[in-house]
C-alpha cells in the first residue's frame, strides 16, 4: 500500500480507530462504545484491505439490518476510489437467502416459497394453533387466536429457530403463562404445514440452510473456503443461529472481526446474549486481538462519566471506559419528577429556538408512554410516535375504559350493542366472540339478564356466567355513580371486574400482563389530575390525534438503539417500571443486568441534554438514578468546563481519576462523605438509622439482594423512601436498632 493511500485511509481517525483499520492478521474483537464512529472505522478497514491487495470477492461485511447495510454501502461507495470493485455488504438474512437458493439448486433442500405478506404468516399461525387445540372448547380456541397471543406464538416459533433449540426446552425457560403450553405442539404443526405447502418464514432463511450445512458434510465443503475476511457489525446482537452460520462460513481460513458493545446487548428476547462477544466468541473462534473504541463523538464528559457509573454494576461486560472525545458538545444532566419537569423542559427547549423534532422522550415500555401522550395533549405540544398504533386512543384497553366513563354519563349507551361489545371485550371475558355477540344483542334490546335456562347461556361454564353477569350488573349501576371523579370510577370498574387478574391471565407473557396492569395504574393516575372535569378526561382518551412530523418523538429504548437526539428525556424511571419487575415476575441478577444495559442504551442517545424523570409520589425512584450519580456527573462536566480549583466531591474517586487520566485532563478530587463505607447485607439491619450525603437522615426498612452488593430501602425523614446500593451510596451509620 502506498504512503499516500495509507494517509488517505487514516485521515481524521483516532489512534484507536487507526489500530482497528491496520489490524494485520488473525481474528479481532473490537469493543466500541455508543457513538464511537464504528461505521467510519469499518469503511476505512475495508478500504485498507482493498489497498493492500485483498480480493474484494473474498471479503464479506455483515450488518445488523437493511438500514445499516444501505448506510454502510453508501459510505463505502463515496470513499472508495472511482471504479473500485467493492466487497459484498449483506445482512445475515440475505446471506441465508442466497445459501437457501444454492442448496436448493444443488438438491440439498426442497424448493420453498417465502411467506412475505403478514396475512400469510398469520394464517399459518392460526391454523397451527387451531389444530393444536383441536378438541378443546370454543372459548379456549378463541382466546388463543387473540392477536397479541397469536403474535407471541409467532415470536416463540422464531426464537426456537434463532436459538437452534427444541420447543419444549425453550418453553420451560421463557416467562410464558400456562395457557400457552399449546405452543409446543403448535410449533411442530406449523413446521408440518410449511413443509406440506412448500413455504417458509423469514426465520427459515437461516434455520433451514444452517441445519442442512451442519448435517451434510458435502454441502458444507461447497460453501467453505471462499472467504478471507468477515467483518460483523453489532456483533453483540446476533443470535445462536447467526453465530453458528458465521463460524461455518468462516471455516478455518477466514479472519473474523467482531465489532460491537456487550453493554448494548438489549435484544435477548430475539436470542442475543451478552457473552456473544466474550466467552462465546472465544469458544467459536479461539484467541483474538483486542481493540477498544473508547471515545464517543456524541456527547460530553458529564454523560460519558454517567454512562460509566450506570453500567458499572454489571458483571458481564467489557472492562472499558466510555470517554468523550475532544470537541464534543457539552451535555447537561438533570433528574426531574413528574409531568411538570417534562413540560417545563420541552417549553424551555422551544423558547430557546430549538425544534421539537430535535427532542425525544424514551420509555421502557409502551404502557408508560400513555401518560406522556396525555400530558402533551393537554399542554398542546405536538408529538409523534415511533409506532402509530400505540396512540392512546387506539389502544383497545384505553378505548374500553373510556367507554365505561362514557356510559356513566350517558346511560342510553346500554342500548348500543357495539358499545357493550367494547366494554365486554376489554379486559376479555374468555367467551367466544360469536357467543358473546348474541348475548349482548339481547341485553341491548331487553335490558334484562337472561333466565338461567336461556339458550343464550347454554354451554357457558359457571365461572363464565358469573363473570358476565357481574360485568352487566356493573354497567347497569354506573349511571348512578356519575358524580364520582373519573379516577374513583375507574378504580371501581377495575376492582369490580377483577381487571388485574384477568389481564395477567390473558397475557401470553408475564411482562405483557405487567404492562397491561401498569396501563391501568397510569390511566387512573392521569384521571386523578382531571378530577374536576370528567368530560375533558374522556375527550383526551378519545382524541383522534395523528403523528405530527414536526413533533416530539415518543419511542421505546429498544427502538432507539443506534439513534441520537440533541435532547433526550427518559420517562418512567421508577422501581418496577425501569428496571421492570413485579411480584409475579421478580428481578433475577441476570434480568437486572439486562435492564441496566437497556438503561445504558437509553441515556447514551443524548447529545446536548439528558433529563431523567421519575413519577414521584408513591412510586420509588429507580435504583438506576442513584447508580448513575447524575448530579455529581453534571458537576463534573461543569468543573471541567470552568477549570474549577476547589476539590470536587465524588463517590468513586478511582473511576473518576482513571477517566481524567484517559482523556488527558485533571481536576482536584475528594471522596464523598461516607465513602467508601459500603456495608454488606450482614452489616445493615432493618430499623438501623443512617445518614445519606444527599438525602439526609433515614431508617433502613428493607435489606435484600446479593450479600456482596446489597440493595437497601431507606425511609428518609425529608426525602421519602429510596432504594440504594449499599456498597455505593454515600452512607454513614448513626445508630443500631
Amino acid at each position: 500500500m502506498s504512503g499516500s493511500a495509507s494517509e488517505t485511509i487514516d485521515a481524521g481517525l483516532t489512534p484507536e480507530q487507526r489500530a482497528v483499520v491496520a489490524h494485520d492478521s488473525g481474528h479481532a474483537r473490537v469493543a466500541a462504545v455508543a457513538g464511537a464512529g464504528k461505521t467510519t472505522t469499518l469503511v476505512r478497514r475495508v478500504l485498507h484491505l482493498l489497498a493492500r491487495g485483498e480480493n474484494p470477492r473474498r471479503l464479506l461485511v455483515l450488518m445488523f439490518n437493511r438500514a445499516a447495510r444501505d448506510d454502510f454501502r453508501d459510505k463505502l461507495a463515496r470513499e472508495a476510489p472511482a471504479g473500485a470493485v467493492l466487497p459484498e455488504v449483506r445482512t445475515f438474512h440475505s446471506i441465508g437467502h442466497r445459501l437457501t437458493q444454492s442448496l436448493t439448486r444443488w438438491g440439498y433442500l426442497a424448493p420453498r416459497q417465502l411467506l412475505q405478506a403478514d396475512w400469510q404468516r398469520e394464517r399459518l399461525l392460526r391454523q397451527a394453533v387451531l389444530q393444536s387445540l383441536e378438541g378443546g372448547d370454543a372459548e379456549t380456541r378463541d382466546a388463543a387466536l387473540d392477536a397479541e397471543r397469536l403474535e407471541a406464538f409467532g415470536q416463540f416459533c422464531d426464537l426456537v429457530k434463532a436459538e437452534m433449540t427444541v420447543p419444549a426446552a425453550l418453553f420451560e425457560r421463557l416467562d410464558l403463562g400456562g395457557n400457552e403450553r399449546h405452543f409446543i405442539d403448535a410449533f411442530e404443526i406449523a413446521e408440518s404445514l410449511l413443509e406440506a405447502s412448500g413455504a417458509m418464514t423469514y426465520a427459515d432463511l437461516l434455520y433451514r440452510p444452517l441445519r442442512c450445512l451442519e448435517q451434510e458434510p458435502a454441502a458444507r465443503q461447497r460453501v467453505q473456503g471462499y472467504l478471507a475476511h468477515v467483518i460483523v457489525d453489532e456483533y453483540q446482537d446476533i443470535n445462536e443461529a447467526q453465530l453458528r452460520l458465521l463460524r461455518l462460513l468462516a471455516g478455518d481460513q477466514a479472519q473474523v472481526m467482531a465489532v460491537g458493545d456487550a453493554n448494548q446487548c438489549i435484544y435477548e428476547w430475539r436470542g442475543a446474549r451478552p457473552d456473544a462477544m466474550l466467552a462465546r466468541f472465544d469458544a467459536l473462534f479461539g484467541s483474538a486481538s483486542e481493540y477498544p473504541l473508547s471515545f464517543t463523538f456524541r456527547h460530553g464528559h458529564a454523560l460519558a462519566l454517567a454512562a460509566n457509573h450506570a453500567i458499572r454494576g454489571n458483571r458481564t461486560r467489557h472492562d472499558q471506559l466510555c470517554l468523550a472525545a475532544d470537541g464534543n458538545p457539552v451535555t447537561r444532566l438533570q433528574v426531574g419528577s413528574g409531568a411538570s419537569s417534562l413540560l417545563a423542559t420541552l417549553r424551555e427547549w422551544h423558547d430557546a429556538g430549538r425544534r421539537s423534532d430535535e427532542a425525544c422522550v424514551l420509555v421502557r415500555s409502551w404502557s408508560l408512554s400513555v401518560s406522556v401522550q396525555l400530558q402533551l395533549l393537554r399542554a398542546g405540544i405536538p408529538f409523534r410516535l415511533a409506532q402509530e398504533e400505540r396512540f392512546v386512543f387506539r389502544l383497545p384497553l384505553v378505548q374500553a375504559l373510556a367507554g365505561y366513563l362514557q356510559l356513566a354519563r350517558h346511560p342510553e349507551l346500554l342500548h348500543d350493542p357495539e358499545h357493550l361489545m367494547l366494554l365486554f371485550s376489554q379486559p376479555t371475558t374468555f367467551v367466544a366472540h360469536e357467543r358473546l355477540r348474541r348475548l349482548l344483542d339481547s341485553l341491548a334490546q331487553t335490558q334484562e339478564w337472561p333466565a338461567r335456562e336461556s339458550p343464550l347461556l347454554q354451554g357457558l361454564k359457571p365461572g363464565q356466567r358469573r363473570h358476565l353477569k357481574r360485568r352487566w350488573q356493573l354497567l347497569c349501576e354506573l349511571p348512578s355513580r356519575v358524580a364520582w371523579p373519573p379516577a374513583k370510577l375507574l378504580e371501581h370498574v377495575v376492582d369490580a371486574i377483577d381487571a388485574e387478574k384477568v389481564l395477567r391471565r390473558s397475557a401470553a407473557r408475564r411482562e405483557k400482563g405487567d404492562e397491561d396492569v401498569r396501563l391501568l395504574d397510569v390511566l387512573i393516575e392521569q384521571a386523578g389530575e382531571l378530577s374536576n372535569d370528567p368530560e375533558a378526561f374522556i375527550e383526551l382518551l378519545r382524541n383522534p390525534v395523528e403523528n405530527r412530523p414536526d413533533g416530539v418523538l415518543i419511542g421505546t429504548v429498544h427502538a432507539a438503539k443506534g439513534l441520537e437526539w440533541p435532547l433526550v428525556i427518559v420517562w418512567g424511571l421508577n422501581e418496577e417500571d425501569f428496571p421492570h419487575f413485579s411480584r409475579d415476575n421478580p428481578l433475577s441478577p441476570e434480568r437486572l443486568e439486562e435492564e441496566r444495559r437497556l438503561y445504558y442504551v437509553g441515556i447514551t442517545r443524548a447529545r446536548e441534554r439528558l433529563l431523567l424523570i421519575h413519577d414521584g409520589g408513591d412510586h420509588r425512584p429507580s435504583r438506576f438514578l442513584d447508580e448513575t450519580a447524575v448530579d455529581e456527573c453534571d458537576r463534573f462536566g461543569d468543573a471541567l468546563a470552568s477549570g474549577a480549583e476547589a476539590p470536587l466531591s465524588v463517590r468513586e474517586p478511582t473511576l473518576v481519576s482513571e477517566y481524567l487520566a484517559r482523556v488527558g485532563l485533571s481536576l482536584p478530587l475528594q471522596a464523598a462523605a461516607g465513602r467508601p463505607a459500603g456495608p454488606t447485607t450482614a452489616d445493615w439491619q432493618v430499623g438501623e438509622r443512617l445518614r445519606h450525603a444527599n438525602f439526609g437522615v433515614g431508617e433502613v426498612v428493607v435489606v435484600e439482594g446479593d450479600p456482596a452488593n446489597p440493595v437497601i430501602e431507606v425511609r428518609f425523614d425529608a426525602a421519602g423512601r429510596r432504594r440504594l446500593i449499599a456498597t455505593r451510596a454515600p452512607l454513614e451509620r448513626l445508630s443500631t436498632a
Side-chain angles (χ1 to χ4, degrees), residues 20-53:
V20 173
V21 169
H23 169 67
D24 188 29
S25 62
H27 302 307
R29 184 160 41 193
V30 182
V33 302
K38 286 189 296 131
T39 301
T40 297
T41 305
L42 297 186
V43 164
R44 301 291 181 86
R45 169 66 179 169
V46 171
L47 295 178
H48 170 81
L49 291 173
L50 295 177
R52 78 180 193 186

Side-chain angles (χ1 to χ4, degrees), residues 30 77 238 365 379 386 600 634 697 708 726:
V30 182
I238 62 179
S365 60
Y600 175 87
D634 194 55
V697 175

